[in-house]
């Protein structure tokens, strides 16, 4: 092919110089040239993956979902209002295994990704997303901090009422419901004890992607989903050309489904055989995911996916502590002197909460697309647990990461 396209090769040279090694890139198809940046240098992937694995190390976890971009950007905002060891511990959470893209600071990347993702709302997906920093009987919060974190990280300040912890919880749940666009979030598993001077970071996000190519409603049928419990679910089907990769060694399929308008895509990881996700959860690393995404190649694929919702409500205190965020929770050690000028020793973190919900449905955006030329398709039959990512196309940031271990549906009884 190369000798027939000398002009293209010349034109693409400057791009190649920016994006990486010439030898490598010249072999790629035109579609491969416009790929989002890899997960390796991205703080949302780095933190998201570590949080996901910390959550999943609890064997009782079923249907995990979190927004790495929201938690990372909210923590980034809080980091900007902290000093000393508290600030460096927040910074460490946002460190990436390889240098950040273009040498930018993690918080700048996060702020940019948040903007890109919010702008894609209504094109590639419908999203409701809110972030807030709640404070309980705290010294006055700095207006400069509030303004800055609202503008850069969409983080609002909300004072908690004077009531007891039950009243706080009610306020938090009410806020989450509004943040989820009216969806009733699951209740928090444990109580939140907000003493005077407590700060609580909260994120709420509900997401529904619009496929670039829709799954037709006519071909939706009842099938079995072999999750934690076997259930009967609605399964949707579509055959088309998608970026796909089979990792034979790890026995995992990787599939990328673009969303309408190309502002974001959904990535699925499906073990070859029916199994719990414990094995694949442990395999995951930013390096491996970068490699997998790079190896995906346009392939004919027969896709079957359950219609399902993944929802989860999390308090990430335990996981963040395990990842090195220790001083922030301690009333004596925490230093949030940028949140409130007079706060040294007066403010501490009492919770990092996430309400998240993702809907897998058949719907696509509108528009005519070219016919696809299907040849010898691969099967991607998601009738058993899988891992799901949503990434922003422009920045490569990780909007959502989750696992479907169980799909709601009529219970199936094992037949002997
Ligand atoms: C997707 O991202 C790539 C690189 O980040 C960019 O070249 C392309 O234009 C983007 N597509 C859309 C639809 O935004
Ligand atoms: C996305 O758009 C919908 C509808 O216009 C709106 O209700 C929602 O708040 C938007 N989400 C964000 C995060 O701005
Ligand atoms: C992608 O597929 C094409 C055509 O099937 C093949 O020539 C190419 O080597 C593949 N690339 C990768 C990275 O697997
Ligand atoms: C997922 O949630 C949406 C919104 O609550 C609902 O309309 C839809 O039926 C749910 N889908 C499934 C498969 O339960």
């Amino acid at each position: 092919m190369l000798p027939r396209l000398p002009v293209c090769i010349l034109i693409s040279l400057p791009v190649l110089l920016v994006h990486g090694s010439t030898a490598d890139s010249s072999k790629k198809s035109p579609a491969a040239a416009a790929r989002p940046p890899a997960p390796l240098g991205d703080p949302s992937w780095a933190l998201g993956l570590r949080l996901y694995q910390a959550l999943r190390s609890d064997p009782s976890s079923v249907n995990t979902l979190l927004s790495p971009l929201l938690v990372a950007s909210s923590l980034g905002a809080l980091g900007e209002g902290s000093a000393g060891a508290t600030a460096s511990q927040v910074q460490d959470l946002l460190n990436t295994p390889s240098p950040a893209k273009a040498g930018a600071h993690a918080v700048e990347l996060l702020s940019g990704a948040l903007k890109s993702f919010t702008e894609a709302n209504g094109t590639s997906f419908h999203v409701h997303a809110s972030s807030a920093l709640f404070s309980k009987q705290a010294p006055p919060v700095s207006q400069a901090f509030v303004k800055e974190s609202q503008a850069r990280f969409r983080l609002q300040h909300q004072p908690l009422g004077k009531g007891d912890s039950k009243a706080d919880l009610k306020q938090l749940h009410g806020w989450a419901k509004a943040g989820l666009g009216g969806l009733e979030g699951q209740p928090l598993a444990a109580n939140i004890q907000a003493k005077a001077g407590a700060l609580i970071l909260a994120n709420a996000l509900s997401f529904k992607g619009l496929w670039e190519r829709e799954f037709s409603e006519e071909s939706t049928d009842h099938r079995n989903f072999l999750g934690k419990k076997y259930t009967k679910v609605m399964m949707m089907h579509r055959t088309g050309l998608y970026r796909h990769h089979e990792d034979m060694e790890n026995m995992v399929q990787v599939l990328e489904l673009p969303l309408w308008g190309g502002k974001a895509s959904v990535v699925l990881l499906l073990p070859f055989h029916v199994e719990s996700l414990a094995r694949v959860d442990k395999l995951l690393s930013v390096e491996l995911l970068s490699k997998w995404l790079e190896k995906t190649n346009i392939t004919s694929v027969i896709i079957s996916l359950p219609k399902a919702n993944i929802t989860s409500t999390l308090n990430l205190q335990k996981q963040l502590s395990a990842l090195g965020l220790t001083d922030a929770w301690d009333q004596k050690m925490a230093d949030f002197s940028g949140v409130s000028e007079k706060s040294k020793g007066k403010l501490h973190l009492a919770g990092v909460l996430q309400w998240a919900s993702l809907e897998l449905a058949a719907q696509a955006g509108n528009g005519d697309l070219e016919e696809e030329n299907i040849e010898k398709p691969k099967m991607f039959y998601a009738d058993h647990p899988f891992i799901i990512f949503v990434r922003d196309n422009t920045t490569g940031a990780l909007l959502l990461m989750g696992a479907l271990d169980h799909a709601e549906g009529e219970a199936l009884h094992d037949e002997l």
Side-chain angles (χ1 to χ4, degrees):
M1 255 180 96
L2 289 182
R4 289 172 57 200
L5 292 166
V7 180
C8 292
I9 289 162
L10 282 177
I11 289 169
S12 60
L13 256 176
V15 179
L16 297 179
L17 290 176
V18 177
H19 286 299
S21 89
T22 314
D24 188 46
S25 304
S26 61
K27 285 197 213 94
K28 288 180 186 164
S29 67
R35 299 287 288 154
L40 255 179
D42 191 287
S44 60
W45 284 85
L47 178 62
L49 217 55
R50 282 185 292 163
L51 277 176
Y52 174 86
Q53 282 175 321
L55 287 162
R56 302 288 289 178
S57 66
D58 174 354
S60 70
S61 57
V62 176
N63 288 8
T64 306
L65 185 71
L66 79 156
S67 171
L69 178 60
L70 287 194
V71 68
S73 56
S74 295
L75 283 167
L78 196 61
E80 302 276 272
S82 57
T86 308
S88 54
Q89 287 172 8
V90 172
Q91 231 149 50
D92 287 348
L93 286 176
L94 304 179
N95 278 345
T96 54
S98 77
K101 284 169 272 188
H105 284 294
V107 285
E108 296 312 326
L109 290 176
L110 293 166
S111 173
L114 213 49
K115 191 155 174 277
S116 161
F117 150 68
T118 312
E119 282 168 3
N121 183 24
T123 312
S124 293
F125 46 74
H126 293 304
V127 72
H128 290 276
S130 295
S131 299
L133 180 65
F134 288 88
S135 62
K136 181 88 179 174
Q137 295 163 20
V141 168
S142 144
Q143 282 314 298
F145 174 80
V146 171
K147 218 173 134 191
E148 180 83 357
S149 32
Q150 164 65 30
R152 288 168 71 205
F153 306 101
R154 300 172 51 85
L155 182 71
Q156 285 163 340
H157 174 240
Q158 299 266 346
L160 280 170
K162 292 211 167 64
D164 58 4
S165 68
K166 225 170 130 187
D168 291 343
L169 213 58
K170 196 165 165 227
Q171 190 181 342
L172 289 164
H173 277 136
W175 174 86
K177 184 172 176 178
L180 292 169
L183 282 182
E184 199 67 61
Q186 286 170 17
L188 275 167
N191 228 337
I192 288 286
Q193 296 293 343
K195 300 187 188 122
L199 297 174
I200 294 173
L201 263 187
N203 302 130
L205 180 138
S206 68
F207 181 96
K208 183 179 178 180
L210 299 171
W211 304 116
E212 184 181 69
R213 293 168 184 274
E214 80 185 325
F215 287 78
S216 90
E217 288 292 349
E218 294 90 74
S219 69
T220 300
D221 56 6
H222 276 101
R223 303 268 175 124
N224 299 343
F225 188 83
L226 311 178
K228 279 254 149 92
K229 289 179 202 142
Y230 289 6
T231 50
K232 223 172 189 51
V233 301
M234 291 304 282
M235 196 92 105
M236 46 194 186
H237 313 280
R238 169 159 218 290
T239 302
L241 293 175
Y242 291 92
R243 297 191 73 94
H244 176 263
H245 170 64
E246 278 176 322
D247 181 334
M248 295 299 183
E249 188 191 335
N250 292 308
M251 299 194 297
V252 175
Q253 289 191 71
V254 183
L255 178 71
E256 182 162 16
L257 296 140
L259 296 178
W260 176 250
K263 302 279 187 201
S265 61
V266 169
V267 177
L268 302 175
L269 306 179
L270 179 72
F272 284 3
H273 307 294
V274 177
E275 60 174 304
S276 90
L277 290 171
R279 179 183 70 84
V280 181
D281 282 343
K282 289 196 195 89
L283 277 181
L284 298 182
S285 68
V286 185
E287 289 82 357
L288 183 59
L289 280 159
S290 297
K291 199 170 98 186
W292 276 345
L293 286 167
E294 192 188 315
K295 284 198 168 167
T296 57
N297 203 355
I298 305 284
T299 313
S300 298
V301 193
I302 304 177
I303 302 167
S304 297
L305 280 183
K307 282 191 177 179
N309 288 314
I310 311 179
T311 60
S312 117
T313 300
L314 302 166
N315 183 356
L316 299 169
Q317 175 165 4
K318 200 173 98 191
Q319 291 75 22
L320 288 166
S321 304
L323 296 177
L325 187 71
T326 51
D327 285 16
W329 319 97
D330 187 306
Q331 280 168 284
K332 290 211 184 70
M333 308 287 276
D335 185 348
F336 291 112
S337 47
V339 177
S340 165
E341 286 91 358
K342 291 181 241 145
S343 78
K344 182 120 175 64
K346 296 213 177 93
L347 287 174
H348 64 280
L349 196 56
V352 175
L353 314 178
Q354 282 241 333
W355 281 266
S357 159
L358 174 140
E359 181 175 357
L360 276 178
Q363 208 180 340
N366 302 309
D368 295 327
L369 294 165
E370 284 168 36
E371 279 289 308
E372 295 160 285
N373 199 357
I374 310 298
E375 276 176 3
K376 291 188 268 173
K378 299 269 186 191
M379 289 277 284
F380 189 96
Y381 194 66
D383 71 339
H384 54 285
F386 56 86
I387 296 172
I388 183 164
F389 300 87
V390 180
R391 70 163 168 169
D392 181 60
N393 173 66
T394 316
T395 62
L398 185 57
L399 310 178
L400 277 169
M401 164 156 201
L404 183 74
D405 305 291
H406 168 73
E408 240 9 274
E410 186 193 326
L412 282 178
H413 299 286
D414 290 340
E415 285 164 37
L416 294 174

